[in-house]
Amino acid sequence: MRPLTDNPVSSPEDDSFRFGPYVDVLHNAVEQATPLPLTVGVFGSWGAGKSSFLQLWQRRFEATQTRTIWFNPWKYDRKVEVWAALLHTILSEMEKGEDTLKEKAKKLAKAATWLSVRAGLGAAAALGTGGVIKGEQVDQMLQDLAQEDSEQYRQVNRFEFDFADAVRDFVGEDGRLVVFVDDLDRCTPESAMTVLESLKLFLAQSQCVFVLALDLDVLAAVATNKFDEALKGAPSDVVSGMAYLDKIVQLPFFLPDVGFDTLQEAFKPYVSELADDPFFWELLRRGLGVNPRRLKRYINVFNMALAVFQAHGTQALSREFRLQLAVLLIIRTRHRAFFHTLTSEPESWRALTVFFERVQGNPGMRGTLGMELAEHLRPFANEIELDRLFTFGGAERVQPPTAETVLSMISTLRNAAGPDEI
């Protein structure tokens, strides 16, 4: 078996999700944007391919004079102030320049570190400085704060203007710096919000394009929670986290949905069994949807489980067995409550399938027929997605395995995918 990895693609030749045309559109729009700074939001759900999109876009800048920096905030989350780590990541690149720019970067880094120290971060601030400010320097700053506060306040008050000046030296009078901020929604809510706020507070005068990859719904919910209490009683459009993000992001771009046919084409070479079986792929379409990361993980676990069965078996696995395993893995992935029921009541698969078949013939009797189910199955009587999964295919539908086979499959899935709680 050849497992699928979750590494983002960076080469146009590997763009199996066909993001290229969308990258071109966004790239051309940003190239013409003036005046700067500009904040671009690349919005997409978990596993939709945001990192791949950003890396493909970053490659586009390699053929130009535009400088780019990549920042992964989650690497610093819970270790340092993430907003400070963002500033220091940029400044550490500037520090590699000529002496005048290097000196400016060091002064700015000192001001940013001072802010972190004042926030109570202490010596841990050095972790986010990219080597510009050393740990012993942070310790010294703690001792000197009383004497230096007035000077540091002056530097902080001028930070955004001094930063803009340093960026100008870094990229040239007509240049621009593109900063890609990936996986912002993987940070704690507090860290994510401080990064957004720092773009307005400290970097609002610079020749920068900030590209934020995030899940819009997650960050909007975080913003709503942050301001909910403070703005209680205000109009809903004011309190809305979405309204807050509108003030941060000037150019929103919603990642295009990757069609299931495209995913099938991209992942088919990695499926060790049933790769050419249309019924199998339709099961996945119905049961898993079109999230690339979810499908990758599913295929890896499915392949591993089949390999375990084949290693311990004495005869070839039938197509029916493979499809039954495919359905059980969908249940484990998307219908956890029912999967847990199967671990103790393996006959439940057959009993619930019979119920859904009866409902197909008498749709108006779902409620009445549901009361005839065993009590532990009644919560699943209205699970329409389970209904569609168990009855798909008409006469060719996947038949429920025996209770013994269900338990054997569950045991093997634990070997391939870990404990049921994961």
Side-chain angles (χ1 to χ4, degrees):
M1 58 169 282
R2 181 163 60 113
L4 280 156
T5 69
D6 200 31
N7 300 325
V9 303
S10 59
S11 170
E13 293 76 25
D14 299 325
D15 181 20
S16 57
F17 295 169
R18 302 171 188 170
F19 285 151
Y22 301 97
V23 171
D24 292 342
V25 170
L26 195 52
H27 181 80
N28 293 335
V30 168
E31 283 281 86
Q32 300 175 55
T34 55
L36 297 176
L38 171 72
T39 302
V40 181
V42 176
F43 300 125
S45 61
W46 170 88
K50 297 188 293 296
S51 295
S52 292
F53 188 93
L54 261 60
Q55 291 208 13
L56 288 168
W57 190 5
Q58 187 181 37
R59 284 289 298 270
R60 286 293 308 275
F61 287 105
E62 291 180 359
T64 72
Q65 299 300 311
T66 301
R67 291 179 177 268
T68 65
I69 291 175
W70 191 278
F71 178 66
N72 289 104
W74 61 270
K75 292 183 178 180
Y76 302 94
D77 199 18
R78 299 182 186 277
K79 300 182 181 69
V80 299
E81 292 282 358
V82 178
W83 62 265
L86 169 62
L87 293 178
H88 285 299
T89 298
I90 298 171
L91 295 171
S92 65
E93 288 298 312
M94 294 181 183
E95 198 261 350
K96 300 173 185 177
E98 49 87 23
D99 290 343
T100 302
L101 177 59
K102 183 183 299 185
E103 189 60 31
K104 289 180 180 180
K106 285 184 176 180
K107 288 183 178 179
L108 287 165
K110 188 175 182 180
T113 304
W114 180 84
L115 282 171
S116 296
V117 172
R118 295 293 289 178
L121 192 60
L127 295 174
T129 66
V132 178
I133 299 295
K134 307 300 183 184
E136 58 270 20
Q137 292 174 290
V138 175
D139 294 335
Q140 184 63 43
M141 288 178 66
L142 282 168
Q143 299 175 26
D144 297 343
L145 276 178
Q147 292 76 28
E148 296 187 3
D149 265 4
S150 60
E151 173 62 19
Q152 295 298 342
Y153 276 124
R154 189 197 69 79
Q155 290 188 21
V156 168
N157 289 334
R158 286 193 48 81
F159 189 96
E160 63 177 315
F161 303 102
D162 292 341
F163 180 81
D165 182 55
V167 171
R168 188 179 304 107
D169 288 351
F170 187 51
V171 302
E173 191 69 32
D174 299 318
R176 59 185 59 198
L177 173 64
V178 181
V179 182
F180 291 94
V181 182
D182 194 17
D183 286 331
L184 186 59
D185 45 15
R186 287 178 60 179
C187 294
T188 59
E190 295 78 9
S191 295
M193 289 302 299
T194 59
V195 170
L196 294 176
E197 291 165 352
S198 71
L199 299 182
K200 285 291 188 185
L201 289 174
F202 302 123
L203 314 179
Q205 301 294 326
S206 60
Q207 295 166 227
C208 289
V209 176
F210 299 98
V211 182
L212 313 177
L214 45 85
D215 185 323
L216 178 62
D217 292 336
V218 171
L219 264 296
V222 169
T224 298
N225 291 335
K226 177 180 176 66
F227 298 111
D228 182 58
E229 187 65 29
L231 297 177
K232 186 168 291 184
S236 60
D237 59 333
V238 174
V239 180
S240 167
M242 200 75 73
Y244 174 79
L245 289 178
D246 286 344
K247 299 181 184 302
I248 301 293
V249 176
Q250 294 85 52
L251 180 58
F253 180 83
F254 291 85
L255 208 64
D257 292 331
V258 181
F260 189 86
D261 291 342
T262 299
L263 294 177
Q264 179 179 338
E265 180 182 341
F267 297 159
K268 184 177 177 180
Y270 296 86
V271 178
S272 56
E273 306 285 350
L274 303 175
D276 296 313
D277 193 322
F279 193 93
F280 168 74
W281 289 106
E282 185 57 32
L283 277 176
L284 267 57
R285 184 200 300 267
R286 286 170 169 261
L288 300 175
V290 294
N291 184 281
R293 182 172 294 154
R294 184 185 299 128
L295 280 167
K296 285 180 182 179
R297 176 172 171 77
Y298 176 94
I299 290 171
N300 285 341
V301 174
F302 180 68
N303 286 341
M304 181 65 73
L306 283 176
V308 171
F309 271 115
Q310 290 167 339
H312 292 284
T314 57
Q315 56 186 6
L317 304 178
S318 67
R319 174 178 178 270
E320 180 183 45
F321 180 90
R322 294 190 185 105
L323 290 174
Q324 289 169 339
L325 181 63
V327 171
L328 182 60
L329 184 52
I330 291 173
I331 295 171
R332 185 185 188 276
T333 304
R334 301 301 303 277
H335 305 281
R336 303 291 290 186
F338 184 64
F339 183 83
H340 286 300
T341 297
L342 288 177
T343 62
S344 58
E345 303 287 346
E347 286 288 355
S348 297
W349 187 340
R350 183 174 300 278
L352 200 57
T353 299
V354 170
F355 164 74
F356 288 141
E357 289 172 343
R358 294 177 67 192
V359 169
Q360 276 195 326
N362 299 278
M365 296 289 290
R366 182 181 292 270
T368 302
L369 294 173
M371 294 305 298
E372 298 177 9
L373 285 170
E375 187 172 353
H376 67 276
L377 290 180
R378 290 175 189 170
F380 307 108
N382 293 314
E383 290 279 349
I384 303 303
E385 290 187 4
L386 271 178
D387 189 337
R388 294 177 69 244
L389 183 65
F390 285 171
T391 60
F392 166 64
E396 303 298 322
R397 69 189 59 169
V398 177
Q399 296 301 313
T402 64
E404 181 182 5
T405 300
V406 170
L407 293 177
S408 175
M409 288 180 173
I410 289 174
S411 177
T412 299
L413 287 178
R414 286 171 177 159
N415 294 143
D420 300 336
E421 289 74 19
I422 294 179

